[in-house]
Amino acid sequence: MIEIRNVSKTFQQRGAAPYTAIDDVSLTIQKGEFVSLLGPSGCGKSTLLNLVAGLDQAEKGSIVVNGKPSDGPGPDRVVVFQEHALFPWLTVLENVAFGLKQKGIRKAEREALAKEHIKAVHLSKFTDRYPHELSGGMKQRAAIARALAMDSDILLMDEPFAALDEQTRLILHKDLEEIWMKTRKTILFITHNIREAVILSDRVLVMSTRPGTIKREFAVKAARPRDHADPVLHRVEAHIMEALADELEKVVKEETGDEYSLKKNDLSNPASGGMGGGI
């Protein structure tokens, strides 16, 4: 479904030297897979997602989506951002139906489709509410419903739950997993949260510090729907934290100086519920 081949991206900076965000990244995502990108801040996760979305172009390498080179945004891909990006002057129903209206779908049909996807995210009682009347979690549910209503093959999610409290995040994890199990959309998911990546994904790709590369890949072979108490998940989390330890030390040393040393026992127990939340 998505083939990323030897992709590099360098940004020019006014008054400063250019910097390379990602360097020689290659990966393949199969149809119906749920894949997460995980890594330190600034490692190029969102840059890579924007390239797949067609919102930016790489200087080197190629990105192929559904067998065709990606040279810009397309109807086969839809993005859910960290900020919900709902139109404040539209109701939930109108926001979810907005893209369908742009596609020229008749009002009755688009409202029926919008209501179907609103129901899938448990917002049926709030179809006539405006964004300012919703909680943060409800806004993100509406944003997910809007993306699903477009019925694109690929869902690109850029830290969609990062600004939410832990309880709301856990609820939305369950909702998203249920939706994915029903639709089998191909999902590329960006996160800083190790537990989130492991709970949701078929595979977790760990990126190095800038310039970002794919450092390690972890398959999450746990039964679905996922159980937070599953020891398989805890083992994968521990292996991911071990792979990230060197990268985290690089980030901290860059910020505080070479005298800083990160020890393994400085890191949180990977079995804890908030594991990886600040990474």
Side-chain angles (χ1 to χ4, degrees), residues 196-210:
E196 181 170 77
V198 172
I199 283 290
L200 291 173
S201 308
D202 296 317
R203 286 189 293 147
V204 179
L205 306 179
V206 174
M207 295 186 69
S208 67
T209 52
R210 194 174 72 203

Side-chain angles (χ1 to χ4, degrees), residues 164-207:
L164 303 178
D165 62 84
E166 187 65 17
Q167 291 77 16
T168 302
R169 184 193 290 251
L170 293 176
I171 292 169
L172 290 182
H173 288 171
K174 182 178 179 182
D175 288 346
L176 181 58
E177 184 182 33
E178 288 178 354
I179 289 168
W180 176 80
M181 291 176 70
K182 289 177 182 177
T183 65
R184 294 293 175 173
K185 299 285 186 187
T186 303
I187 297 180
L188 178 59
F189 191 94
I190 306 298
T191 181
H192 284 88
N193 189 295
I194 296 174
R195 170 60 59 89
E196 181 170 77
V198 172
I199 283 290
L200 291 173
S201 308
D202 296 317
R203 286 189 293 147
V204 179
L205 306 179
V206 174
M207 295 186 69

Side-chain angles (χ1 to χ4, degrees), residues 1-3 28-32 64-67 76 153-154 186:
M1 181 63 73
I2 302 172
E3 294 181 78
T28 300
I29 300 175
Q30 302 296 334
K31 182 178 176 63
V64 178
V65 179
N66 273 326
D76 54 352
D153 296 327
I154 298 168
T186 303

Side-chain angles (χ1 to χ4, degrees), residues 78-97:
V78 65
V79 184
V80 178
F81 297 100
Q82 181 174 340
E83 295 296 330
H84 54 79
L86 300 175
F87 297 115
W89 60 88
L90 299 181
T91 65
V92 168
L93 179 61
E94 291 166 339
N95 266 289
V96 174

Side-chain angles (χ1 to χ4, degrees), residues 58-251:
E59 290 90 14
K60 298 179 182 178
S62 64
I63 295 177
V64 178
V65 179
N66 273 326
K68 299 178 181 179
S70 174
D71 55 6
D76 54 352
R77 288 153 285 165
V78 65
V79 184
V80 178
F81 297 100
Q82 181 174 340
E83 295 296 330
H84 54 79
L86 300 175
F87 297 115
W89 60 88
L90 299 181
T91 65
V92 168
L93 179 61
E94 291 166 339
N95 266 289
V96 174
F98 182 82
L100 301 175
K101 183 178 180 180
Q102 300 303 111
K103 291 173 71 172
I105 296 175
R106 293 181 301 107
K107 183 177 181 181
E109 183 180 355
R110 69 173 180 259
E111 288 190 354
L113 287 169
K115 287 178 180 178
E116 177 184 335
H117 290 94
I118 289 170
K119 182 179 180 180
V121 297
H122 312 296
L123 282 180
S124 294
K125 294 182 180 180
F126 302 91
T127 55
D128 61 346
R129 300 291 182 88
Y130 290 90
H132 74 272
E133 299 177 294
L134 305 176
S135 68
M138 289 177 177
K139 292 173 184 175
Q140 281 301 78
R141 285 178 176 176
I144 292 170
R146 180 177 58 185
L148 291 171
M150 299 302 293
D151 198 27
S152 299
D153 296 327
I154 298 168
L155 194 57
L156 306 172
M157 309 187 78
D158 193 359
E159 299 191 61
F161 308 140
L164 303 178
D165 62 84
E166 187 65 17
Q167 291 77 16
T168 302
R169 184 193 290 251
L170 293 176
I171 292 169
L172 290 182
H173 288 171
K174 182 178 179 182
D175 288 346
L176 181 58
E177 184 182 33
E178 288 178 354
I179 289 168
W180 176 80
M181 291 176 70
K182 289 177 182 177
T183 65
R184 294 293 175 173
K185 299 285 186 187
T186 303
I187 297 180
L188 178 59
F189 191 94
I190 306 298
T191 181
H192 284 88
N193 189 295
I194 296 174
R195 170 60 59 89
E196 181 170 77
V198 172
I199 283 290
L200 291 173
S201 308
D202 296 317
R203 286 189 293 147
V204 179
L205 306 179
V206 174
M207 295 186 69
S208 67
T209 52
R210 194 174 72 203
T213 59
I214 304 298
K215 180 177 181 179
R216 291 281 302 278
E217 175 182 316
F218 297 88
V220 187
K221 297 181 179 180
R224 291 189 186 271
R226 295 279 162 81
D227 180 351
H228 282 257
D230 190 333
V232 172
L233 301 182
H234 298 316
R235 286 196 293 271
V236 176
E237 286 183 54
H239 292 319
I240 291 174
M241 177 53 81
E242 185 176 349
L244 274 173
D246 291 343
E247 303 308 317
L248 298 178
E249 185 164 7
K250 291 176 188 176
V251 171

Side-chain angles (χ1 to χ4, degrees), residues 251-260:
V251 171
V252 175
K253 281 186 174 181
E254 184 176 322
E255 295 178 351
T256 64
D258 289 338
E259 72 279 1
Y260 187 92

